[in-house]
Amino acid sequence: MSRTSPHTPLQRDELSRRGLLKTAGGLTAALALGTASAATTADAAPASFAHPGMIHNWGDINRAKVRVAAGDDPWLSGWNRLTANSHAQSTWTPNPQATIIRGGTGENYGILYNDIAAAYQNALRWNVAGTAAHGDCAVRILNAWASTLTTLTGNADRFLAAGIYGWQFANAAELIRGHSGFDLTAFQDMMVNVFHPLNNQFLTGHNDACITNYWANWDLCNMASVMAIAILTDDAAKYDQAVTYFKSGAGNGSLAHAVPYLYTDSDGYGLGQWQESGRDQGHTVMGMGQMGALCEMAWNQGDDLYSYDSRRFMKAAQYVAKYNLGSEVPFTTYTWGTGQSCAQQSQTAISSASRGQARPVWAMLHYHYNRRLNLDDKYIAQMAASVAPEGGGGDYGSTSGGYDQLGFGTLMYAK
C-alpha cells in the first residue's frame, strides 16, 4: 500500500529508506475484551525518522502552499479560517508558567492550551505562507515554555494535561524544528523531562486504579504524546512503546478495548461501537481526534495503524459519525470495572448527550480513508462535509474541549 499524496524528493527518499508500510494483522486471542495480556515489543520504529513526520508531512505542507497560492477551495476556505483566528496572529504574546495545574486547586492549564494553539497556528502560517513574523512568533512561544515549564500537576487530570498538551506541543515544535531561532534541544528536554514521565506513569500504572477505570481518551492522549515525543527526539524505544500499546495495551485506549463490539448496518457498512459511546458524544468524538492523531503520526513514519485489525478504527469512526448525523446505531451493553476495587458499572444504551457536536477531527479521517485508500466512508465523509472548513483552538469555545484538537484539517488534509 503506497501513499498517494505528493512528496518532495527528500520525503520520497525518506519513505524508500523506511520501506513499505508495516501493516499488522489481527489481534490475538489473548486480547479478548477484559483480558490484560503482556504487551510484546512492536519493533515498529523506522530506521530513520521522517521530519516533519507527525500529523503533517512535507506533502501536506507543499499541497497547502500550492493550493492556497492558487486560490483553490477548499484549501483557501481552510486558510481563511486559520488567518481569522486570534491565536494565529504574529502579535500573540506567550505567558509561560513554571507550574501547570489541571484538576484541583489553582488550575491554570488554560494558559497552556491557548499558547499551544497559538504556537501551532503561527507555525502553520509560517510553513504555508512563509511569513517570517509567524515563524518568529511560534519560536517565541515554544522557546519561552521550554525555558520555564518544570512541573505538570493537579489531581488525576494532570495525566490528561500531560497527554493532550504533550502531543500538541510536540507537533507545534515539529513544524518549526528547522527554524534558526528555535532551541530544539531545550524543547526536547522539556518534553522528555516534564511530559513523558507522566505519560509513561499513566500507561504503566493507570493512577493505581482498576485497568478499565479510565476512559479510552486517557490512554489515547498519553499514547499520542509518547509517539510525538519519540518522533521529536528520534527515540525508537518510545515510538515502539506507543505502537505496542495501541495494538496490545491492557487499558481502554488500545484498539480492541476502544472498539469492543463490531456490527454491519443495513447498508453494508462496517460499524464499531466506541468505548465512550454510552457516556456522551462530546468525548466520543474527541476519541476520533485522539486516535486519529496517533494513526496519522504513525502513518507518516511508515506504519499503518489506520488499517490495523481489519480497519477496526474506521468502523468506529463510521459508527460515531452515523449516530452524530442523526441516524440510529446498534448498542451492546457495556460493562467495566471502576475505582481500585473494579466495582462493576454498566451502560445499556448509547448516550445522546452532546449529539452532533462539531469538532475538527473528521477531515483527517475522511481524506485518509476516502482519498488515500479510495474507500467508501459514507458517514465519515458526511461528517467531514458538515464541519468544513475546519477551524482550530479558539473556534469552538473557550473551555478545554474546544482545544482538544489542533484542527485545520480542511486546509492541511484536503486532497
Side-chain angles (χ1 to χ4, degrees), residues 102-104 152-162 197-215 218-219 222 245 251-252 337-342:
R102 177 163 179 166
L152 288 176
T153 189
N155 60 22
D157 285 1
R158 69 189 183 278
F159 296 113
L160 285 176
L198 286 171
N199 303 147
N200 183 64
Q201 183 183 343
F202 186 79
L203 293 176
T204 56
H206 283 85
N207 202 28
D208 297 323
C210 178
I211 191 62
T212 58
N213 181 71
Y214 289 98
W215 303 102
W218 291 67
D219 273 352
N222 281 284
Y245 201 98
N252 284 325
T338 64
Q340 291 183 311
S341 65
C342 288

Side-chain angles (χ1 to χ4, degrees), residues 66-366:
V66 171
R67 294 294 193 169
V68 170
D72 296 338
D73 265 334
W75 300 271
L76 182 60
S77 293
W79 174 255
N80 289 338
R81 193 82 193 268
L82 170 63
T83 58
N85 193 303
S86 64
H87 295 73
Q89 310 311 310
S90 62
T91 53
W92 186 274
T93 301
N95 185 18
Q97 306 291 307
T99 300
I100 285 295
I101 303 168
R102 177 163 179 166
T105 304
E107 282 192 327
N108 64 349
Y109 68 102
I111 296 171
L112 178 57
Y113 65 65
N114 274 279
D115 270 8
I116 291 174
Y120 172 73
Q121 292 176 31
N122 274 277
L124 275 189
R125 293 189 69 170
W126 179 61
N127 274 273
V128 174
T131 47
H134 294 289
D136 292 344
C137 180
V139 165
R140 283 197 306 274
I141 297 167
L142 298 179
N143 283 352
W145 281 92
S147 63
T148 305
L149 181 65
T150 59
T151 306
L152 288 176
T153 189
N155 60 22
D157 285 1
R158 69 189 183 278
F159 296 113
L160 285 176
I164 298 170
Y165 311 134
W167 76 259
Q168 292 183 352
F169 231 166
N171 268 272
E174 180 77 353
L175 286 174
I176 63 160
R177 66 183 298 138
H179 194 292
S180 60
F182 181 41
D183 191 342
L184 176 60
T185 300
F187 195 88
Q188 290 171 325
D189 288 345
M190 178 189 70
M191 298 306 300
V192 169
N193 296 324
V194 179
F195 287 85
H196 183 262
L198 286 171
N199 303 147
N200 183 64
Q201 183 183 343
F202 186 79
L203 293 176
T204 56
H206 283 85
N207 202 28
D208 297 323
C210 178
I211 191 62
T212 58
N213 181 71
Y214 289 98
W215 303 102
N217 276 312
W218 291 67
D219 273 352
L220 285 168
C221 66
N222 281 284
M223 292 153 63
S225 182
V226 170
M227 180 173 283
I229 293 168
I231 296 168
L232 187 72
T233 61
D234 299 299
D235 189 322
K238 288 183 176 64
Y239 183 88
D240 286 345
Q241 177 187 15
V243 173
T244 297
Y245 201 98
F246 176 87
K247 294 179 178 179
S248 58
N252 284 325
S254 63
L255 186 59
H257 298 96
V259 193
Y261 306 111
L262 300 178
Y263 314 95
T264 301
D265 72 5
S266 59
D267 292 328
Y269 291 96
L271 304 176
Q273 182 174 316
W274 186 253
Q275 190 262 343
E276 302 196 44
S277 293
R279 181 188 184 192
D280 64 66
Q281 296 308 304
H283 286 95
T284 297
V285 175
M286 175 187 174
M288 302 302 98
Q290 301 298 310
M291 187 170 278
L294 183 75
C295 290
E296 187 69 15
M297 288 189 285
W299 175 271
N300 285 327
Q301 295 301 328
D303 285 295
D304 188 5
L305 302 186
Y306 276 117
S307 294
Y308 188 74
D309 194 16
S310 301
R311 300 193 186 101
R312 196 179 189 100
F313 177 40
M314 180 182 180
K315 294 169 186 175
Q318 288 275 78
Y319 178 97
V320 173
K322 182 176 182 179
Y323 184 68
N324 281 275
L325 286 164
S327 297
E328 297 308 308
V329 293
F331 186 87
T332 299
T333 295
Y334 181 74
T335 301
W336 74 102
T338 64
Q340 291 183 311
S341 65
C342 288
Q344 297 275 285
Q345 290 191 24
S346 293
Q347 294 164 338
T348 59
I350 193 168
S351 173
S352 62
S354 304
R355 190 178 188 181
Q357 182 182 97
R359 285 189 180 231
V361 305
W362 297 104
M364 179 188 291
L365 307 186
H366 168 59

